[in-house]
Amino acid sequence: MSTATETVEELANQEYKYGFVTDVETDSIPIGLNEDVVRLISSKKEEPEWLLEWRLNAFRVWLKMSEPEWHNVHYDPIDYQSISYYAAPKKQIKLDSLDDVDPEIRATFDKLGISLDEQKRLSGVAVDAVFDSVSVATTFKDTLANLGIIFCSFSEAVREHPDLVRKYLGSVVPHSDNFFAALNSAVFSDGSFAYIPKGVKCPMELSTYFRINAANTGQFERTLLIADEGAEVSYLEGCTAPQRDENQLHAAVVELVALDDATIKYSTVQNWYPGDENGKGGIFNFVTKRGKAFANAKVTWTQVETGSAITWKYPSCILQGDNSVGEFYSVAVTNNCQEADTGTKMVHLGKNTRSTIISKGISAGRGQNTYRGLVRIGKGATGARNFSQCDSLLIGDRCGAHTFPYLEVKNTTSQVEHEASTSKIGEDQIFYCRQRGLSTEDAVNLIVNGFCKEVFRELPMEFAVEAQKLLGVSLEGSVG
Amino acid sequence: MLEIRDLHASAGDRQILKGINLTVNAGEVHAIMGPNGSGKSTLAGVLAGRDGLEVTGGTVTFKGQDLLDLEPEERAREGVFLAFQYPVEIPGVNNAYLLKAGLNEVRKHRGEPELDAMDFMTLIRERMALLQMDDTLLSRPVNEGFSGGEKKRNEIFQMAVLEPTLAILDETDSGLDIDALKTVAGGVNALRSPDRSMVVVTHYQRLLNYIVPDFVHVLSGGRIVKSGGKELALELEAKGYGWIETEPATASV
């Protein structure tokens, strides 16, 4: 009908820029999943006996579980026997320094804008780069070590800091938590580990960058982040994958432990390959993320979800300690045939616990965007407060927005607020901007950016820029 | 400056403008009056390039070029400004930010350098004084939560910053109390200049006490049925629109 609508759709249909494949020799195990595969993964990683037992327990639990069906996403059944559960770049020998990273892989990360070269990095961000299932490099390790901060791959943490791993692994997301978490617990390959000691404020952003490269593999990372009493850390996570016609499974688990008075801020820009405009290919993203906040601690999740064919993800907070705080800020974009079912759970257990949920869903093309959130106020959570706001923006007339807020309140002294809105980018808004001299493209960027503003301002600076670029948005709010 | 010849336009399958002829020279202020549904806002919309309005005949020439051939943003950059009757709210988008983006597009088009944040702030503080604008309106989202009067004031403020060559004011007086009306009119008058033309669309004569037009045109049934000087507005106020609609003979020039 109108040209404005067409342009909006064009804009929303920008192509995926990270779809290239890196040519490296891969050591992957044959497809299929059974106890032997779990044992093989564990032995390839030279893991201790207790971890193998933990994996096997998870696997046995998983066998008895069935895939959830309550979500509002649709996909062909996943054949778990047709996936390879381990892939690693072949040349992976023990790396003594960053110079030992395979040049092809180094080039890959350069291409993605993630420099593994410490000297070249302008801002202080320490990166753990995960290529297929293996962590290939962690930067700024020595600088961090001086403060007692441990930041390394998960495998290395198992070798070097087994006590910490053993104490906290599964303490927030148990191996039997849900179907995808159990699968992850059985076959997880690598991931990132960080420990911030008592009272230490981490001086730089910690960052993990995940890249799926090999075909027909799943990626199952496990991230464990512990902020000891009074510690503070901000953590970033980014992800991309090549463009392939087949769907690939990504089932990660992230556990955050914020001990008394600690603060953890976890930000994600998720840009997995979303599939083509007809819904062919793309990543199936089934992720369990949860943080536990002890007394006076604070856990903040900020996510910008633009990729994946299917997104199934509910970064949550268990507010265990008194006065603990949980926050969830989310922008989820679905375009073409993408479907997202995402939201959060705020579980209030301690007294005077507080939580904030700001969710912004943007649907374009034939995209379906679902917000699903649970606010649970436990019996003992006297004086707990929650505020939730869920806004949906529709672009075009073939997409959908859905909201499923669940509230369970068992303490009458608590206060729970929920606000929701659904709006369309109005032709009149676009016309208004154009009448002031802006092109349609700039007008849409401006409006979408304005819609997401409350979330973007929660992102660390560097990420905010990336997030805005991702939405094709020019920097807003630089004046006034 | 602006030359409208036999302009016909429709919205959907409804023919609204049925042959408008109007010449606006540089520095002139023309008032377009007329009863509800006569096509006043449609005329304003067609000049600005609003979606959903289809030009079915006639021509509009602006500074020697075919205005109807330009996209809305190109018209804006050429100096056409529409003060909206119902300014739209854009949540989360900073009022000053939109204005800076618009102004820099206009400046780029004119071959002038873009203004940086400092120069821009200096400029808008000066223009704000003109409209007695509240500072906080700048940092608030575009029109969100503005009162009717604040919205209209904001429109004229934007006009003061963008400095158009042709300003079209679409019922800028509606929803204004008398004090706000005086302020807004004062702002408009301060912007009158020999190289700026204005088309003031209004339903009531009241606004014209404060913005005194050079010409008044009465629009009825999609045509200009009567034109005259500022005294025509007073006559309309006294007699209503009825007597003109029964006198179509005066329409053709």
Side-chain angles (χ1 to χ4, degrees):
Chain A
M1 196 196 82
S2 70
T3 50
T5 311
E6 283 163 26
T7 327
V8 168
E9 300 231 327
E10 255 171 49
L11 212 84
N13 287 335
Q14 282 173 351
E15 266 182 56
Y16 190 69
K17 276 190 275 189
Y18 308 101
F20 60 90
V21 179
T22 307
D23 191 16
V24 293
E25 271 192 275
T26 309
D27 167 27
S28 59
I29 61 175
I31 58 168
L33 181 56
N34 52 48
E35 279 204 18
D36 290 340
V37 169
V38 176
R39 285 175 199 282
L40 184 59
I41 293 170
S42 189
S43 77
K44 269 185 182 291
K45 307 198 76 69
E46 299 164 25
E47 286 176 353
E49 191 60 27
W50 66 264
L51 191 50
L52 173 63
E53 276 312 309
W54 197 79
R55 286 177 179 273
L56 289 172
N57 276 337
F59 180 69
R60 286 165 198 147
V61 170
W62 180 75
L63 283 178
K64 290 185 204 129
M65 296 173 107
S66 49
E67 212 169 309
E69 285 172 352
W70 43 260
H71 43 234
N72 188 28
V73 291
H74 311 85
Y75 53 92
D76 291 337
I78 299 169
D79 180 359
Y80 293 93
Q81 297 303 335
S82 71
I83 296 170
S84 165
Y85 287 84
Y86 184 79
K90 219 171 212 163
K91 286 189 196 144
Q92 235 263 330
I93 349 139
K94 290 259 166 66
L95 298 175
D96 291 326
S97 85
L98 290 170
D99 298 335
D100 296 341
V101 175
D102 186 318
E104 281 288 329
I105 293 173
R106 183 188 278 273
T108 298
F109 281 96
D110 280 345
K111 217 161 158 181
L112 295 168
I114 314 292
S115 170
L116 300 180
D117 218 335
E118 287 179 21
Q119 289 78 13
K120 277 189 195 158
R121 295 196 65 86
L122 293 171
S123 57
V125 178
V127 180
D128 182 29
V130 178
F131 188 87
D132 282 333
S133 298
V134 174
S135 168
V136 290
T138 310
T139 62
F140 286 112
K141 268 173 114 160
D142 297 342
T143 319
L144 294 168
N146 288 339
L147 291 161
I149 296 171
I150 302 166
F151 181 43
C152 61
S153 72
F154 198 92
S155 312
E156 191 180 327
V158 170
R159 285 195 304 271
E160 308 288 331
H161 312 281
D163 296 346
L164 280 173
V165 175
R166 198 168 182 176
K167 182 169 175 191
Y168 291 108
L169 177 68
S171 70
V172 184
V173 179
H175 63 74
S176 57
D177 189 78
N178 68 67
F179 183 82
F180 295 104
L183 177 63
N184 173 287
S185 301
V187 302
F188 74 85
S189 32
D190 209 338
S192 294
F193 175 87
Y195 170 79
I196 321 296
K198 263 184 204 174
V200 171
K201 187 169 186 276
C202 186
M204 59 178 79
E205 310 274 353
L206 301 185
S207 171
T208 304
Y209 199 92
F210 294 107
R211 174 77 179 170
I212 297 182
N213 189 58
N216 301 320
T217 55
Q219 182 150 334
F220 307 92
E221 348 66 53
R222 186 119 198 157
T223 299
L224 178 56
L225 191 50
I226 303 145
D228 210 328
E229 292 172 17
E232 270 180 48
V233 61
S234 170
Y235 198 92
L236 319 174
E237 177 200 277
C239 19
T240 57
Q243 208 157 330
R244 297 187 188 280
D245 286 346
E246 314 83 39
N247 297 111
Q248 279 181 286
L249 178 63
H250 174 250
V253 171
V254 175
E255 294 179 276
L256 309 183
V257 181
L259 296 174
D260 292 359
D261 305 301
T263 299
I264 299 178
K265 191 175 167 75
Y266 195 102
S267 312
T268 306
V269 171
Q270 185 262 105
N271 190 21
W272 296 119
Y273 177 56
D276 68 9
E277 69 272 18
N278 299 314
K280 194 164 193 207
I283 301 289
F284 288 167
N285 195 34
F286 291 89
V287 171
T288 305
K289 291 184 166 178
R290 195 175 302 153
K292 198 183 261 187
F294 290 87
N296 308 310
K298 180 174 174 184
V299 171
T300 301
W301 296 101
T302 306
Q303 59 169 15
V304 177
E305 302 281 307
T306 62
S308 296
I310 302 287
T311 297
W312 182 100
K313 182 178 167 188
Y314 315 91
S316 305
C317 298
I318 313 266
L319 303 175
Q320 180 144 323
D322 292 350
N323 311 310
S324 57
V325 176
E327 293 176 331
F328 174 75
Y329 300 97
S330 168
V331 168
V333 182
T334 54
N335 187 25
N336 294 323
C337 300
Q338 282 178 275
E339 294 180 70
D341 191 315
T342 185
T344 184
K345 285 190 271 186
M346 292 291 174
V347 180
H348 292 252
L349 300 175
K351 292 190 184 73
N352 300 316
T353 43
R354 280 175 291 142
S355 63
T356 304
I357 299 170
I358 308 282
S359 163
K360 305 280 181 176
I362 300 165
S363 316
R366 279 170 287 163
Q368 295 295 325
N369 211 321
T370 300
Y371 168 81
R372 187 184 303 277
L374 168 69
V375 176
R376 179 183 289 155
I377 311 280
K379 254 187 191 153
T382 304
R385 277 184 292 155
N386 160 265
F387 174 75
S388 306
Q389 184 185 330
C390 305
D391 298 322
S392 306
L393 187 68
L394 304 172
I395 301 177
D397 51 13
R398 289 172 301 160
C399 53
H402 318 271
T403 306
F404 301 101
Y406 301 87
L407 303 175
E408 289 177 25
V409 180
K410 294 193 176 120
N411 186 308
T412 53
T413 64
S414 61
Q415 198 178 326
V416 177
E417 285 176 75
H418 182 88
E419 286 179 9
S421 76
T422 302
S423 54
K424 253 185 105 158
I425 281 201
E427 298 281 315
D428 53 344
Q429 289 174 324
I430 293 172
F431 177 64
Y432 189 85
C433 296
R434 293 177 81 191
Q435 214 304 302
R436 297 303 181 246
L438 276 66
S439 65
T440 302
E441 191 178 308
D442 289 344
V444 170
N445 284 344
L446 195 72
I447 296 164
V448 169
N449 192 21
F451 177 75
C452 300
K453 193 180 202 168
E454 287 156 287
V455 174
F456 283 166
R457 70 173 170 222
E458 295 298 328
L459 287 170
M461 195 51 186
E462 184 174 297
F463 248 31
V465 174
E466 189 181 339
Q468 283 173 339
K469 272 198 214 141
L470 260 181
L471 294 180
V473 172
S474 56
L475 189 66
E476 224 259 72
S478 51
V479 176
Chain B
M1 171 85 60
L2 180 70
E3 193 82 41
I4 304 174
R5 285 285 158 264
D6 196 30
L7 181 65
H8 288 68
S10 60
D13 40 12
R14 215 156 48 91
Q15 192 71 32
I16 298 178
L17 301 184
K18 300 170 183 166
I20 301 271
N21 289 293
L22 181 67
T23 302
V24 179
N25 294 310
E28 291 176 356
V29 175
H30 290 243
I32 309 276
M33 302 185 70
N36 291 329
S38 57
K40 301 189 297 290
S41 285
T42 302
L43 176 60
V46 166
L47 294 178
R50 187 190 282 280
D51 243 4
L53 298 174
E54 199 192 339
V55 174
T56 51
T59 59
V60 179
T61 314
F62 175 64
K63 293 197 292 195
Q65 53 182 331
D66 180 2
L67 185 69
L68 302 177
D69 198 36
L70 301 178
E71 292 293 326
E73 62 269 35
E74 292 168 333
R75 299 182 197 196
R77 294 169 195 167
E78 279 292 327
V80 175
F81 179 90
L82 173 65
F84 284 74
Q85 181 179 5
Y86 304 111
V88 64
E89 300 187 359
I90 311 179
V93 176
N94 184 297
N95 204 20
Y97 185 79
L98 169 66
L99 193 51
K100 180 167 173 257
L103 178 64
N104 279 333
E105 289 295 343
V106 171
R107 291 180 65 93
K108 250 193 287 181
H109 183 74
R110 291 185 194 145
E112 296 167 2
E114 296 187 28
L115 285 187
D116 63 22
M118 293 297 285
D119 292 342
F120 176 72
M121 287 311 286
T122 313
L123 173 72
I124 59 176
R125 296 236 175 269
E126 177 204 318
R127 299 298 149 90
M128 273 169 69
L130 203 64
L131 273 300
Q132 297 167 28
M133 287 255 301
D134 187 349
D135 244 27
T136 59
L137 291 190
L138 272 186
S139 49
R140 276 165 55 186
V142 179
N143 292 318
E144 201 182 36
F146 285 26
S147 71
E150 285 171 337
K151 283 183 185 173
K152 295 300 175 73
R153 213 178 278 209
N154 192 35
E155 293 293 294
I156 304 305
F157 163 64
Q158 295 187 353
M159 171 175 140
V161 172
L162 294 171
E163 302 186 304
T165 42
L166 174 67
I168 305 156
L169 277 54
D170 190 6
E171 306 223 5
T172 294
D173 52 334
S174 67
L176 291 186
D177 62 35
I178 193 71
D179 292 333
L181 183 71
K182 280 183 188 166
T183 312
V184 167
V188 172
N189 285 330
L191 294 170
R192 286 178 81 149
S193 94
D195 42 45
R196 177 171 299 132
S197 311
M198 297 188 187
V199 174
V200 180
V201 174
T202 181
H203 191 71
Y204 298 106
Q205 189 269 339
R206 194 178 63 153
L207 177 67
L208 305 180
N209 288 336
Y210 302 98
I211 303 173
V212 180
D214 301 304
F215 301 93
V216 174
H217 310 276
V218 180
L219 198 59
S220 179
R223 265 187 273 259
I224 291 178
V225 292
K226 196 167 180 66
S227 298
K230 61 187 180 217
E231 63 289 341
L232 177 57
L234 295 168
E235 206 175 338
L236 287 167
E237 183 79 351
K239 298 193 199 169
Y241 289 111
W243 62 283
I244 284 178
E245 285 168 64
T246 56
E247 268 182 68
T250 54
S252 50
V253 182

